[in-house]
């Protein structure tokens, strides 16, 4: 190959200074080649490592995209469009990962293998030959030096022979080593070019093959898919920009409007106290005792819900009951040199809470809310007791008709008693729901009627309610209690009655969900937040709503309603709020006299909705097994009665056959009269036997005449 310098191998034996100088040039060139190739090897190895990392990362990306649909995101986890799109991307990226894996293999074979071979084999061979040549050259110089020091006066043939042999051996070794070294250096000039070009050629061929595979995978369908995704991304970006702009405008408006509210105690002239609130919520500081004289203050979020004061710590999903404010008292107090404090005390005085409001406005609004609630609570109780004392309790339907206005509905702002019904206003609510679930023009009962009221004739039919009200202090109450004591299952739950209404269907839990929605909406519209707290007693025979009454140093159960368990055809808890549960009772009569009616009852529990439904299901299973056992027992008794009857019939038949044999014997004996008369003997027959013998004689006469 022209243009390549070579060391003269013929001059190796002479070993002239010019040859050694030229050898030094070639050695410098080999050193430079070694340094450069090491750098090139590191660069190519980085390409190879990067390609391997890219292949692994692409494969991992495809795997993560496939697992997107298995993730459970709190928000937007059920986006089927996004899941299908990512699945399509996963397939494409998985194909690209395969292409990258092929490219990595080709780079390892076509690029890294040649340069590694040159680095590990050829360059190391040059270094090894250089060291061997240096050793041989030093040995030759030492042998020549010893040969030159041979004495001319005292010649020793043996020594001369050894020195001469040593010079011969060292010179031969140097010459051979030098020739191989020169050959390797000359060959290195060719291998240098091969080691530079072959890896680059392999790299380019691998890249071209990779691009060809990519062009084959990129079809028109994929291009259309990518175009659609690009359009979708642009639409989402525009929607995001619009939403961000709207939120920024809302933030600016709220900043301007909320600037006076940043003051902890706002000006009462600009923000007057509202003393007619039906609900209040906000942060309060509550005092907690840590010792006899020490205490701490904790800040929590409080809100009112009916007759309950609820508290909720920051980060909690739902609030908990802080205090039942029914029959409680409230008053402003001075506590530990803190402002705006007030105290709520329970009706028995055993429990009290000291709370601190953030401002004077909140302080006065809270006290006004509690005072108004206590006033209406007491007034409603007194009014109810007075009505029950002077008038008989009408049926639910009669109360509904009496409370319904003739020409117009009641104003929605009027405060409604918790014991009553809604007429046309409930119809408007029902019109917004599914007509297939809830019957139109259905009144809503918001409270359980007092248990001391006597049942009116036909009341169950008029009201459409399936539960049976009983007087717990009479005979019926005792019978119910004895029946409950005989039951296998006894489970008692604290519940609050929200309302009940008639429904059209009872075969799907959506009926219960829709009834919950309508009753809660009606309570919110009419500001009815009071709920009667009672106990739900689940037995194998029925569901009983009872009140626990303290009487003569003992707790007694006052049975309000009794719901027969076989009539409970459906029960379910709320899908989100597990405190709400309801059941559907199927009874005869109701709004339609000819068909069965279904009434849905809604209750609120203390986070025990699912437990109550499980208890009702267990009770129904126990009742079902008991009914099956009863039917099996009755069937066995019927079989025994049939067997006994058959036995009696068989005994009777045997007795008849025996009597017939006796009669035949007597008839045969009476057919011999001559022998009996000659001996002066006679036979006495009974009246029945004589009649049968007479009939037999008449039959014989008829046969002879015939």
């Amino acid at each position: 190959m022209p243009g390549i310098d070579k060391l003269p191998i013929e001059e190796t034996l002479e070993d002239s200074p010019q040859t050694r100088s030229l050898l030094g040039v070639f050695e410098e060139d080999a050193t430079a080649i070694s340094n450069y190739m090491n750098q090139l090897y590191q660069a190519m190895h980085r390409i190879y490592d990067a390609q391997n990392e890219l292949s692994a990362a692409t494969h991992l990306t495809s795997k993560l995209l496939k697992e997107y649909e298995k993730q459970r995101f709190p928000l937007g986890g059920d986006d089927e469009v996004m899941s299908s799109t990512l699945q399509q991307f996963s397939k494409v990226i998985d194909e690209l990962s395969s292409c990258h894996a092929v490219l990595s293999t080709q780079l390892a074979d076509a690029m890294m293998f040649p340069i590694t071979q040159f680095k590990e084999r050829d360059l190391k061979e040059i270094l090894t030959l250089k060291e061997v040549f240096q050793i041989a050259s030093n040995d030759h110089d030492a042998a020549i030096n010893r040969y030159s020091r041979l004495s001319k006066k005292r010649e020793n043939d043996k020594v001369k022979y050894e020195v001469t042999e040593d010079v011969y051996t060292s010179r031969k070794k140097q010459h051979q080593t030098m020739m191989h070294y020169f050959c390797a250096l000359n060959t290195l000039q060719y291998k240098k070019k091969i080691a530079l070009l072959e890896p680059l050629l392999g790299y380019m061929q691998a890249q071209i093959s990779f691009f060809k595979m990519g062009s084959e995978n990129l079809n028109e369908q994929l291009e259309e898919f990518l175009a659609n995704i690009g359009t979708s991304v642009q639409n989402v970006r525009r929607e995001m920009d619009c939403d961000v702009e709207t939120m920024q405008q809302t933030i600016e408006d709220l900043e301007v409007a909320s600037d006076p509210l940043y003051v902890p105690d706002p000006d009462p002239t600009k923000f007057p106290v509202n003393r007619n609130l039906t609900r209040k919520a906000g942060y309060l500081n509550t005092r907690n005792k840590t010792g006899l004289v020490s205490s701490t203050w904790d800040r929590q979020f409080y809100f009112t819900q009916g007759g309950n004061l609820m508290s909720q710590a920051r980060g909690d999903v739902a609030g908990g009951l802080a205090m039942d404010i029914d029959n409680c008292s409230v008053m402003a107090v001075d506590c530990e040199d803190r402002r705006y404090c007030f105290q709520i005390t329970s009706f028995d005085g055993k429990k009290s809470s000291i709370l601190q409001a953030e401002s004077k406005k909140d302080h006065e609004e809270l006290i006004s809310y509690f005072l108004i609630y206590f006033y209406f609570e007491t007034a409603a109780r007194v009014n109810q007791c007075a009505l029950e004392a002077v008038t008989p309790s009408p049926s639910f339907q009669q109360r509904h008709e009496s409370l319904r206005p003739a020409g117009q509905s009641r104003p929605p702002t009027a405060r409604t008693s918790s014991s009553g019904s809604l007429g046309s206003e409930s119809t408007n609510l029902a019109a917004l729901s599914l007509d297939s679930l809830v019957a139109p023009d259905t009144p809503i009962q918001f409270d359980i009627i007092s248990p001391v009221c006597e049942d009116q004739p036909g009341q169950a039919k008029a009201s459409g309610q399936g539960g049976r009200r009983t007087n717990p202090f009479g005979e019926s109450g005792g019978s119910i209690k004895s029946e409950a004591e005989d039951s296998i299952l006894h489970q008692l739950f604290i519940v609050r009655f929200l309302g009940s209404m008639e429904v059209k269907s009872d075969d799907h839990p959506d009926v219960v969900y829709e009834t919950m929605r309508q009753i809660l909406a009606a309570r919110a519209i009419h500001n009815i937040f009071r709920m009667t707290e009672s106990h739900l007693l689940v037995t194998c025979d029925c569901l009983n709503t009872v009140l626990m009454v303290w009487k003569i140093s003992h707790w007694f159960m006052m049975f309000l309603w009794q719901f027969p368990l076989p009539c409970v055809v459906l029960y379910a808890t709320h899908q989100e709020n597990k405190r709400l549960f309801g059941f559907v009772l199927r009874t005869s009569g109701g709004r339609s006299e000819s068909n069965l009616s279904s009434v849905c009852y809604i209750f609120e529990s203390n986070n025990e909705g699912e437990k109550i439904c499980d208890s009702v299901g267990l009770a129904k299973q126990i009742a079902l097994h008991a009914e099956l056992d009863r039917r099996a027992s009755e069937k066995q008794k019927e079989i025994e009665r049939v067997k006994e009857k058959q036995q009696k019939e068989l005994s009777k038949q045997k007795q008849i056959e025996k009597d017939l044999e006796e009669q035949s014997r007597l008839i045969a004996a009476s057919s011999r009269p001559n022998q009996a008369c000659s001996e002066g003997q006679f036979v006495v027959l009974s009246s029945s036997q004589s009649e049968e013998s007479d009939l037999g004689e008449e039959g014989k006469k008829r046969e002879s005449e015939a």
Side-chain angles (χ1 to χ4, degrees), residues 332-356:
V333 295
D334 294 331
C335 184
E336 297 180 5
D337 197 22
R338 284 182 174 250
R339 302 182 301 169
Y340 312 135
C341 294
F342 61 95
Q343 179 176 348
I344 302 176
T345 308
S346 61
F347 69 96
D348 54 2
K350 295 182 179 179
K351 184 178 181 181
S352 62
S353 297
I354 297 179
L355 304 173
Q356 181 191 18

Side-chain angles (χ1 to χ4, degrees), residues 363-546:
H363 180 257
E364 294 182 2
E365 287 181 350
L366 283 167
I367 294 179
S368 299
Y369 167 79
F370 288 122
L371 291 177
I372 292 173
Y373 177 81
F374 299 152
Y375 169 76
F376 279 104
E377 180 74 13
T378 305
R381 188 181 299 107
V382 172
N383 186 27
Q384 179 69 19
C385 293
L387 290 175
E388 293 174 356
V390 300
T391 60
S393 177
S395 65
F396 176 70
Q397 185 69 18
Q398 292 171 352
R399 293 176 65 183
H400 169 67
E401 295 295 338
S402 63
L403 292 175
R404 178 181 294 178
Q408 58 183 359
S409 61
R410 293 181 298 176
T413 57
R415 188 175 182 89
T416 309
S417 175
S418 61
S419 178
S421 61
L422 297 176
S424 58
E425 297 168 348
S426 298
T427 304
N428 295 333
L429 283 173
L432 300 175
S433 63
L434 301 175
D435 293 338
S436 60
L437 298 179
V438 180
D441 299 331
T442 303
I444 302 177
Q445 180 175 343
F446 287 119
D447 202 354
I448 299 178
I449 302 176
S450 176
V452 300
C453 301
E454 298 295 336
D455 292 340
Q456 300 295 332
Q459 181 179 356
K461 293 183 179 181
S463 62
Q465 306 296 326
R468 179 167 60 90
R469 292 188 294 109
T470 61
N471 188 349
F473 303 107
E475 297 178 356
S476 60
S479 62
I480 293 176
K481 186 176 181 181
S482 62
E483 292 175 1
E485 291 175 354
D486 295 337
S487 177
I488 299 176
L489 180 66
H490 290 84
Q491 289 190 348
L492 196 64
F493 302 94
I494 298 176
V495 296
R496 289 171 291 278
F497 181 71
L498 294 177
S500 63
M501 61 187 301
E502 186 175 347
V503 295
K504 298 175 73 173
S505 175
D506 55 9
D507 55 355
H508 198 276
D510 289 342
V511 178
V512 180
Y513 305 151
E514 179 64 20
T515 306
M516 289 179 182
R517 188 192 67 80
Q518 290 205 27
I519 290 177
L520 293 177
R523 279 181 170 268
I525 290 175
H526 298 281
N527 297 327
I528 301 175
F529 300 107
R530 177 176 177 265
M531 295 177 288
T532 302
E533 182 169 295
S534 58
H535 291 72
L536 182 68
L537 178 61
V538 181
T539 65
C540 297
D541 300 324
C542 59
L543 304 179
N544 301 289
T545 54
V546 298

Side-chain angles (χ1 to χ4, degrees), residues 149-199:
R149 290 199 304 267
L150 286 176
S151 176
K152 181 172 63 173
K153 297 178 180 180
R154 295 179 300 173
E155 292 186 1
N156 189 345
D157 295 336
K158 183 179 180 180
V159 173
K160 183 178 179 181
Y161 176 76
E162 291 178 356
V163 172
T164 304
E165 187 69 22
D166 190 13
V167 170
Y168 171 79
T169 303
S170 60
R171 181 170 293 178
K172 181 179 180 180
K173 182 179 179 181
Q174 178 188 2
H175 183 236
Q176 292 177 353
T177 304
M178 195 171 184
M179 286 190 296
H180 287 289
Y181 186 36
F182 278 24
C183 179
L185 289 176
N186 292 335
T187 309
L188 182 64
Q189 301 302 315
Y190 295 95
K191 292 182 178 180
K192 175 182 68 174
K193 298 180 182 296
I194 296 173
L196 285 173
L197 297 177
E198 190 174 5

